[in-house]
Amino acid sequence: MFQCKTVWNKMAPLARASSTLCRQSGKREVLRHVRRPVLAHQALMSSGATGGGMENTLYVLLVGATCLGGGVFVYRTLSRDKARYDDRLSDISSRWSEQREQGPAQAEPQQGAAASDPPPASAMSPVEPALPEVPEHAPYLLIGGGTASFAAARSIRARDPGARVLIVTDEADLPYMRPPLSKELWFSDDPSVTETLRFKQWNGKERSIYFQPPSFYVSPRELQTVENGGVAVLMDRKVTHMDVRGSKVKLSDGTEISYDKCLIATGGVPRNLQVIERAGEEVKKRTTLFRKIEDFRALEKVSRELKSITIIGGGFLGSELACALGRRSADLGLEVVQMFPEKGNMGKVLPEYLSNWTTEKVKKEGVTVLTDAVVKNVSYKDGKVQIRMKDGRVVKTDHVVAAVGLEPNVELARSAGLEVDSDFGGYRVNAELQARANIWVAGDAACFYDIKLGRRRVEHHDHAVVSGRLAGENMTGADKPYWHQSMFWSDLGPDVGYEAIGIVDSNLPTVGVFTKATAKDTPRAVTELSGTGIRSESETEAVAGAVAGAVAGAAGAPAPPPQQKEDYGKGVIFYLRDKVVVGIVLWNVFNRMPIARKIIKDGEEHADLNEVAKLFNIHDD
Amino acid sequence: RFYCKDRIIFVTKEDHEAPSNAELVEDDPNDPYEDHGLILPSGEINWNCPCLGGMASGPCGQQFKEAFSCFHYSTEEVKGSECIEHFRGMQECMQKYPELYPQEDENESGPSGGDDTAPAEPSNTDAASVPDSSVDEVTVAGTENAATS
């Protein structure tokens, strides 16, 4: 019956056309015969030129041809429609079977995440055709499943009651925090730490690196219908295309999800050295680019099985991993080498004297540190990876960890029509973290305008939390600019720990105010005293402050306090730009971040920075 | 030692005894950009406060908000006495997610565990455990920030 209607509809314009033609020709005929007696002379008309019989045949032929053409056209359209309909059906049914296969596969990573937790019921239940696994529409769509994304999800849920938030991540894990992967997890005594990803604090409290256990989340399938909304995480899916005009994204398997507000928090991918990229398969499979849980697991295994690991890179990640591995080196009989082009660890962050001092401390952790080392060539020979440097030095090692920076992930820039920053990399956004209408960017991938310090891109955990939270606020209508300055920290062994805020670039002129440290001023002492976890000022996630904890647990004796005057035990370092303090490092001085934040917020020129340093009470405990 | 662009000053305790004469800009309590604590200048509850952790955003967020709002605006003699129903609803919800909202007695074992493992400084861990347990009461173990200052 449907077909008849289609036929009629398709025929209708043709029918109208041909009937008009008939009527018109008929009318002309009649008119001609009527008019002839009236008008003697008449201009020859093309339609009524020749005699009656010839005309009739012509008309018959014309109408016949039209009907035939119409018939052919209708037949072809119908058959095309049917073909398209069949295609669509087979498409849908194939997608169903695909998702049914993926359903049980997804339950596994969730089980792995927290060993004792039962997987969400919906992942195991039979597929109901009524609710697709991937919701077609998400009011809040967050691309990327890391720290910034989770912070935004939490912020949205707090401010918009009943909000439905969908996180799409290409990882197989629920959102987790990264800092423990290069710190606390390495100091855990638990042999199953690579499975559980849990670690114990010094005061006994244990926690997982996952922000929340699986029971916190709703399944993507239920997101659109669950009462009071929730946060759903779609794992193992990559967003490959973004259609801003249509407000929707496309996943790698072709599924489309439309959104009202979208956050891009895609983070980045570790950079690699060109010489390693070109070095061939044997070298590349012995190289780790460290960022995710799977990298931690792989490196942990390597550290137990192999005899020598070399870390290329002297920044935060490289130095932390070097210290973590260095601590294990004695027990495991592992040689740990760290090499980098700068003169000392954290050479791009700390002023030279402090960088040198830090390097000495890293060496004390059991690491062989090679400074001024530029890698020229890497090859695989005689069962060892050979790293040749420009000055001729050669290092032979079993495994390489490249910690040489992060490449922000801007894959969606082209399809979404988003601007990419040429100076800092990442998506260019305004002070409110907005890229375009209804699109925000947060975390490592956001190059944002900081009202106080200028345009920048920050790759730290606390910034991901702060910017994620801010993006979430703005997605729910707050329109606030980036204002609360994020901080960062690093622990390089039990004696060296610092917190920092603002622009901390060793190229800037600095003023350091130091005092002698006592045994009470080390990271270990601080964690004992306050029982705190990660020293994140945004106070969102508490994690074990473990460096000190594990050492104290193992060794039991405190390290002797530094004695010499030029032992930079404790102090404050100000980083200046045009005489204004734009960055502060609190060196073995803890719990003073609010004062540091205030000084940067003020943005004042201070004549005597020693007076400013007094505000920190660095001599107090 | 004097590095070209990096100045270093060593100070003793005496050097820093005199109060600082550095001037700080006065804070505007109604600054719209600033992050606020639990209570906004308008008197409303800031559900996005980090101090609440995941309480307002989790599966029981709705119930928590109702109970806490009722308590906050309560003007009864015993504050919150008329909010029993809300709190009960919240508790019922939380019992469905024991992982996210561990029960009271589990929290209390935390600080006592600390006592056992730090015999050298019992007074310090005691001091630490008091703020910890009060924080735990409001918040959920494993999702909350610990006080850092």
Side-chain angles (χ1 to χ4, degrees):
Chain A
M1 204 194 104
F2 189 81
Q3 285 179 329
C4 292
K5 194 161 191 280
T6 344
V7 172
W8 181 248
N9 285 340
K10 293 238 153 75
M11 285 294 290
L14 289 170
R16 246 179 280 134
S18 53
S19 69
T20 328
L21 194 60
C22 290
R23 256 184 290 126
Q24 277 176 357
S25 52
K27 234 191 255 175
R28 267 183 234 116
E29 279 266 348
V30 170
L31 281 175
R32 214 183 326 113
H33 287 304
V34 166
R35 278 203 179 168
R36 208 167 266 179
V38 177
L39 291 171
H41 294 284
Q42 193 178 19
L44 276 172
M45 282 167 64
S46 53
S47 56
T50 55
M54 245 344 247
E55 286 168 34
N56 277 340
T57 335
L58 259 180
Y59 281 127
V60 166
L61 277 176
L62 200 63
V63 170
T66 318
C67 289
L68 193 64
V72 168
F73 169 68
V74 164
Y75 173 78
R76 275 178 40 200
T77 313
L78 280 181
S79 55
R80 233 185 303 134
D81 270 348
K82 180 123 192 4
R84 213 173 342 139
Y85 177 62
D86 285 339
D87 274 355
R88 184 112 182 94
L89 274 189
S90 61
D91 209 22
I92 292 176
S93 58
S94 69
R95 214 181 294 157
W96 280 132
S97 50
E98 211 186 278
Q99 286 166 357
R100 221 170 288 146
E101 279 160 12
Q102 282 184 2
Q106 277 196 1
E108 254 108 75
Q110 288 175 338
Q111 278 179 317
S116 54
D117 304 329
S122 51
M124 300 301 262
S125 64
V127 169
E128 288 175 347
L131 284 178
E133 197 218 357
V134 178
E136 291 162 344
H137 177 78
Y140 297 98
L141 178 68
L142 312 185
I143 304 176
T147 307
S149 200
F150 183 79
R154 190 174 260 184
S155 188
I156 293 169
R157 286 280 299 160
R159 290 172 50 89
D160 180 359
R164 297 170 202 280
V165 181
L166 179 67
I167 295 177
V168 180
T169 173
D170 62 1
E171 287 192 63
D173 290 298
L174 293 171
Y176 59 91
M177 56 180 76
R178 251 175 253 292
L181 292 180
S182 61
K183 292 188 271 291
E184 287 86 345
L185 286 183
W186 290 96
F187 306 127
S188 167
D189 299 320
D190 185 359
S192 65
V193 67
T194 50
E195 282 312 306
T196 63
L197 300 171
R198 293 180 76 84
F199 47 93
K200 222 182 203 135
Q201 268 184 273
W202 170 242
N203 62 2
K205 269 198 222 165
E206 211 187 65
R207 91 153 273 165
S208 163
I209 64 169
Y210 292 97
F211 289 114
Q212 293 285 7
S215 48
F216 174 86
Y217 305 98
V218 306
S219 83
R221 190 188 310 279
E222 296 169 344
L223 183 64
Q224 287 181 290
T225 53
V226 65
E227 200 192 352
N228 291 334
V231 181
V233 182
L234 198 61
M235 290 177 278
D236 279 319
R237 302 292 215 286
K238 197 171 165 98
V239 174
T240 51
H241 181 94
M242 191 160 173
D243 175 3
V244 174
R245 229 189 279 210
S247 289
K248 57 184 188 223
V249 300
K250 197 193 293 195
L251 306 181
S252 44
D253 61 1
T255 326
E256 287 190 345
I257 309 174
S258 62
Y259 62 83
D260 294 331
K261 316 254 181 203
C262 181
L263 172 75
I264 299 178
T266 44
V269 176
R271 289 204 177 116
N272 198 354
L273 291 173
Q274 286 232 330
V275 290
I276 295 182
E277 286 285 320
R278 292 195 295 249
E281 227 11 78
E282 288 299 314
V283 169
K284 281 166 84 164
K285 73 179 187 202
R286 289 173 174 80
T287 302
T288 299
L289 298 172
F290 196 90
R291 181 142 171 104
K292 305 183 186 171
I293 291 178
E294 61 204 45
D295 304 318
F296 163 72
R297 288 185 170 134
L299 189 62
E300 200 275 342
K301 185 160 179 282
V302 160
S303 73
R304 277 183 284 113
E305 292 175 359
L306 299 180
K307 288 293 137 201
S308 165
I309 298 180
T310 299
I311 297 161
I312 303 179
F316 293 99
L317 184 61
S319 306
E320 284 172 7
L321 283 176
C323 288
L325 289 170
R327 181 141 332 135
R328 288 190 164 194
S329 58
D331 303 325
L332 299 169
L334 175 71
E335 182 202 26
V336 182
V337 179
Q338 188 188 6
M339 62 169 67
F340 43 82
E342 295 86 31
K343 292 207 181 83
N345 285 85
M346 316 306 305
K348 289 192 184 159
V349 173
L350 300 176
E352 196 176 322
Y353 61 92
L354 221 47
S355 166
N356 293 340
W357 196 79
T358 307
T359 311
E360 293 308 308
K361 291 289 177 186
V362 172
K363 285 179 182 169
K364 285 211 180 82
E365 290 295 310
V367 181
T368 309
V369 181
L370 302 173
T371 61
D372 302 290
V374 180
V375 176
K376 183 171 165 194
N377 172 274
V378 183
S379 55
Y380 181 67
K381 223 192 288 182
D382 306 324
K384 288 273 194 189
V385 176
Q386 295 209 5
I387 306 171
R388 186 179 300 275
M389 285 162 263
K390 271 206 173 121
D391 57 8
R393 284 179 288 178
V394 178
V395 168
K396 296 194 186 140
T397 188
D398 295 325
H399 198 90
V400 174
V401 178
V404 293
L406 189 78
E407 189 64 49
N409 182 339
V410 292
E411 285 173 5
L412 292 172
R414 160 160 278 176
S415 57
L418 297 175
E419 200 179 357
V420 172
D421 190 88
S422 41
D423 296 321
F424 301 99
Y427 297 99
R428 199 177 270 177
V429 296
N430 63 9
E432 285 78 19
L433 303 184
Q434 198 171 22
R436 284 179 65 175
N438 296 325
I439 303 178
W440 289 261
V441 188
D444 292 353
C447 176
F448 66 102
Y449 182 65
D450 184 330
I451 300 176
K452 278 285 170 210
L453 300 176
R455 184 160 284 277
R456 47 202 285 246
R457 188 174 67 82
V458 180
E459 288 174 5
H460 292 300
H461 172 89
D462 192 45
H463 170 76
V465 175
V466 167
S467 63
R469 173 139 41 91
L470 179 67
E473 287 182 330
N474 289 344
M475 285 163 89
T476 48
D479 289 332
K480 279 163 62 176
Y482 191 91
W483 192 250
H484 177 94
Q485 202 53 245
S486 65
M487 56 84 80
F488 60 96
W489 75 95
S490 192
D491 288 331
L492 301 175
D495 299 330
V496 180
Y498 60 90
E499 298 178 340
I501 185 171
I503 298 182
V504 177
D505 184 339
S506 60
N507 286 323
L508 296 173
T510 67
V511 174
V513 182
F514 290 93
T515 179
K516 291 191 196 118
T518 62
K520 283 201 186 129
D521 301 317
T522 54
R524 169 198 328 160
V526 173
T527 31
E528 282 175 11
L529 238 114
S530 55
T532 57
I534 273 191
R535 298 191 295 278
S536 173
E537 277 299 306
S538 63
E539 301 173 351
T540 307
E541 313 304 340
V543 180
V547 176
V551 169
Q563 297 290 333
Q564 299 83 14
K565 190 190 182 212
E566 278 176 5
D567 215 348
Y568 305 100
K570 219 176 155 189
V572 185
I573 303 114
F574 299 99
Y575 290 69
L576 301 159
R577 196 171 59 186
D578 301 328
K579 300 195 196 145
V580 173
V581 175
V582 294
I584 297 178
V585 169
L586 300 172
W587 190 255
N588 275 337
V589 166
F590 303 100
N591 300 327
R592 311 287 206 275
M593 198 43 76
I595 311 161
R597 183 171 283 124
K598 169 86 180 120
I599 292 169
I600 295 197
K601 186 177 95 159
D602 284 352
E604 298 282 302
E605 271 187 40
H606 292 276
D608 185 358
L609 284 169
N610 189 21
E611 293 296 321
V612 181
K614 278 189 191 169
L615 295 169
F616 289 90
N617 290 325
I618 52 181
H619 296 274
D620 287 349
D621 295 329
Chain B
R1 234 184 300 174
F2 196 92
Y3 288 79
C4 323
K5 64 171 190 62
D6 301 315
R7 266 188 73 204
I8 308 169
I9 308 170
F10 283 97
V11 291
T12 62
K13 193 160 182 167
E14 290 72 40
D15 289 334
H16 267 201
E17 243 171 13
S20 172
N21 62 16
E23 283 172 21
L24 293 177
V25 173
E26 210 176 287
D27 274 332
D28 174 12
N30 291 323
D31 189 342
Y33 290 175
E34 276 298 333
D35 275 351
H36 298 282
L38 184 57
I39 310 297
L40 297 168
S42 62
E44 285 169 8
I45 302 173
N46 177 16
W47 297 116
N48 208 9
C49 176
C51 55
L52 289 176
M55 293 293 278
S57 54
C60 300
Q62 199 55 37
Q63 289 84 347
F64 172 77
K65 281 185 192 174
E66 282 166 15
F68 201 72
S69 294
C70 175
F71 176 81
H72 176 65
Y73 290 113
S74 162
T75 49
E76 298 288 317
E77 235 184 80
V78 178
K79 195 167 165 78
S81 49
E82 78 273 32
C83 307
I84 296 293
E85 272 314 304
H86 292 292
F87 277 101
R88 192 169 299 146
M90 183 176 90
Q91 203 169 24
E92 273 171 22
C93 177
M94 288 188 179
Q95 276 162 358
K96 283 192 246 160
Y97 301 92
E99 242 191 334
L100 297 175
Y101 308 105
Q103 300 309 305
E104 276 291 290
D105 23 82
E106 284 172 33
N107 286 349
E108 260 136 55
S109 67
S112 55
D115 279 338
D116 293 339
T117 49
E121 310 183 59
S123 55
N124 284 335
T125 37
D126 272 343
S129 67
V130 169
D132 268 347
S133 57
S134 61
V135 165
D136 283 338
E137 274 164 36
V138 178
T139 63
V140 176
T143 62
E144 292 331 307
N145 48 300
T148 53
S149 54

